[in-house]
Amino acid sequence: MKRTLQITVLISLLTMSSFAQKRSQVLPADQEIFLKYGADRLGKRHDAAMQRFRDNRLGAFIHWGLYAIPGGEWKGKVYDGAAEWLKSWAQVPTDEWLKLMDQWNPKRFNPKAWAKMARKMGVKYVKITTKHHEGFCLWPSKYSKYTVAQTPYKKDILGELVKAYNEEGIDVHFYFSVMDWSHPDYRSDIKSKEDEATFARFLEFTDNQLKELATRYPTVKDFWFDGTWDASIKKNGWWTAHVERMLKEMLPGVTINSRLRADDYGKRHFDSNGHLMGDYESGYERRLPDPVKDLKVTRWDWEACMTIPENQWGYHKDWSLSYVKTPLEVLERIIHAVSMGGNMVVNFGPQADGDFRPEEKELAESIGKWMKENGECVYGCDYAGWDKQPWGYYTRQGENVYMVVFNSPYSKHLVVKTPKGIQIVKGTLLNGKEVAVKETSRNEYNVNMPAKDPGAPFVIKLQIEENTNATDKYRDALT
Ligand code: H79
C-alpha cells in the first residue's frame, strides 16, 4: 500500500515536471498543482477593454532612447546587432553611455506629425518605450537621474506623445523594461542575502516608476513588459503577480502582456499548470505562428511584434547589414497574424533628431494606403476556422468571411472549402462588385478572381449562411 502510494507520488511528480516544461500544455483540473502566483484567470478576457485591444489588431512600436544617437556605431566600429543593445555589444561602461544624455536634443521632434503618420498608416495603437534596458526614461521620473528632464531637450517626451496620439484617437501602450542597466541595485541573479536585499530595493524602485507612469498618464491602455528573463526576476514570481494586480487596480481595464509574468516556480508566460499568465501571449517576437501547425494559439489572445530589418528595434544607421522587409512582406505578416486571431505591431526606430528615416515613412504610407481601402478585413476581425488555402488568408467578422488574396492563381479561380454546414451566399469585392462563386462539390467552391487582376493583395468578402439541417444534395461514395 505504502509502496503504491510512493510510486503514485513519484509518477505524478514526474508527469507534473514534464508538463511544466511544455508551454500551453494544460493539465486536467484534478491534476493541477497549487500555485499562489499562477494565472489569475482561465481563458480569454471578455470585457470591453480587452475587446478593444483585440479589435485594434494593428499597432506600431516606437523604440526611442539614447541608442538612437550612436545608431549602432561606437568608437568608429559599426555593430550589426540590435542598435538598442549597443551598450552591451560594445561593452560601454554605464557612466559613459549615460553621457549621451548631453546630446539628447531632438530638434525635429514633432509629436503631432508622429500621431498623424500613425493615423495615416492605419494603426489603432502605439507602443512606446518608456524605458528600455539602458535605463533612460522618456518621462521626467522623480525616481531616476537618467530622464528627459536632465537633457538639453528637458520636456516630457512621453507626455507629449500620449497627448498627440490620443488626440488622433490612437491608444497608447507602454513598453517597460524591468531590467535596468543604469540602476546600481539591479541584479541578474540572487546569490546572497545581500543580493536579496539590494534587489528588493530595486523592485520597490520599479513599483514606484510604474505607479508614477499609471498616475501621470491615466489614458494608457496597456503595459508591455520586457527584460524579465533574468533569474532574479524568475525567483520573484510573486512580484510579477503583484505588479499585474497593482496596475489593474490603478487602471481598470488595463491589459498586461504575458512576458511580465513568472509563477511560484519561475515558469514564465504559461504557469506550471499550462495556463497563460497576463492577458495575452507576447512571445511572438519577429516570428509568427505556423498557420497550420500552431492553431492552438486561437485559444488565447496574442500579439506579435516585428522589425522591418531582420533585428533592429532602435535606430541603426546602416540597414544594409541585414535583409529589409518590403511593405508587401510586412502587410502579409499583419494579415497572417489577424487570420490566426492575433494582433501585429510593426516597429519604428526614430532618428536622434526626432524624424523618421525615409524607409519607415514610405512603409507607413504604403501600408496606410492599403489599410484605407481594405482595413475592413483587419479591424475587429478574427480567426475564421476554415482550411488554409495557398492563395492567402481568411479573416472573419460575424457572418462575413474575408479572403485576403496574396497569390493569384493561373486558373483564375480561388478554391474555398467551407466547414460542414456553412454555405457561401455571395462573394463581393470591397467596392461592392460581385464576383462569381460556383459550388463545385460539397463544401467546395470556386470563387472567381476579379476580371482585372488587381496586381496587389486584394480582398473578397464572402457572405455566409450557417445551416446545419439543410438537405444535402451530395452523396457519399460507397467505398
Ligand atoms: O526591445 C526589443 C529588444 O531589444 C528586446 N525586445 C524587443 C521588443 C529584446 N532583445 N532581446 N530580447 C529581447 C531577448 C533576449 C535575449 C537574451 Fe540574451 C538571451 C537575453 C539573455 C539571453 C543575448 C544573450 C542577449 C543577452 C544575452
Side-chain angles (χ1 to χ4, degrees), residues 256-305:
I256 311 275
N257 69 334
S258 62
R259 196 177 296 196
L260 165 69
R261 297 284 274 105
D263 75 1
D264 315 34
Y265 299 96
K267 183 84 184 11
R268 299 182 58 227
H269 294 274
F270 290 87
D271 69 18
S272 300
N273 291 320
H275 303 303
L276 181 72
M277 295 179 284
D279 299 313
Y280 59 97
E281 204 261 4
S282 56
Y284 286 101
E285 184 164 314
R286 296 185 294 119
R287 65 197 175 95
L288 276 166
D290 181 281
V292 178
K293 283 184 280 178
D294 291 340
L295 276 177
K296 63 181 190 306
V297 296
T298 58
R299 288 191 232 133
W300 51 79
D301 285 299
W302 58 275
E303 177 191 67
C305 53

Side-chain angles (χ1 to χ4, degrees), residues 61 63 84-85 132-133 175 224 226 229 259 285 313:
F61 228 133
H63 272 73
E84 72 284 359
W85 278 74
H132 205 267
H133 312 332
Y175 166 105
W224 198 95
D226 196 13
W229 47 76
R259 196 177 296 196
E285 184 164 314
W313 299 86

Side-chain angles (χ1 to χ4, degrees), residues 373-374 391 403-415 427-437 446-462:
E373 277 171 34
N374 305 287
W391 44 254
M403 301 166 60
V404 194
V405 182
F406 278 86
N407 310 303
S408 306
Y410 285 115
S411 67
K412 300 289 175 229
H413 59 244
L414 309 155
V415 174
T428 52
L429 298 175
L430 291 184
N431 62 13
K433 262 200 190 133
E434 206 163 324
V435 290
V437 179
N446 279 348
V447 175
N448 264 21
M449 289 273 297
K452 189 169 167 276
D453 190 329
F458 64 94
V459 181
I460 295 175
K461 181 167 154 179
L462 302 175

Side-chain angles (χ1 to χ4, degrees), residues 419-431:
K420 208 168 166 237
I422 294 188
Q423 280 95 42
I424 299 178
V425 180
K426 193 173 150 185
T428 52
L429 298 175
L430 291 184
N431 62 13

Side-chain angles (χ1 to χ4, degrees), residues 149-160:
Q150 287 83 26
T151 66
Y153 184 75
K154 289 200 179 72
K155 287 186 278 179
D156 175 8
I157 299 243
L158 188 62
E160 294 186 290

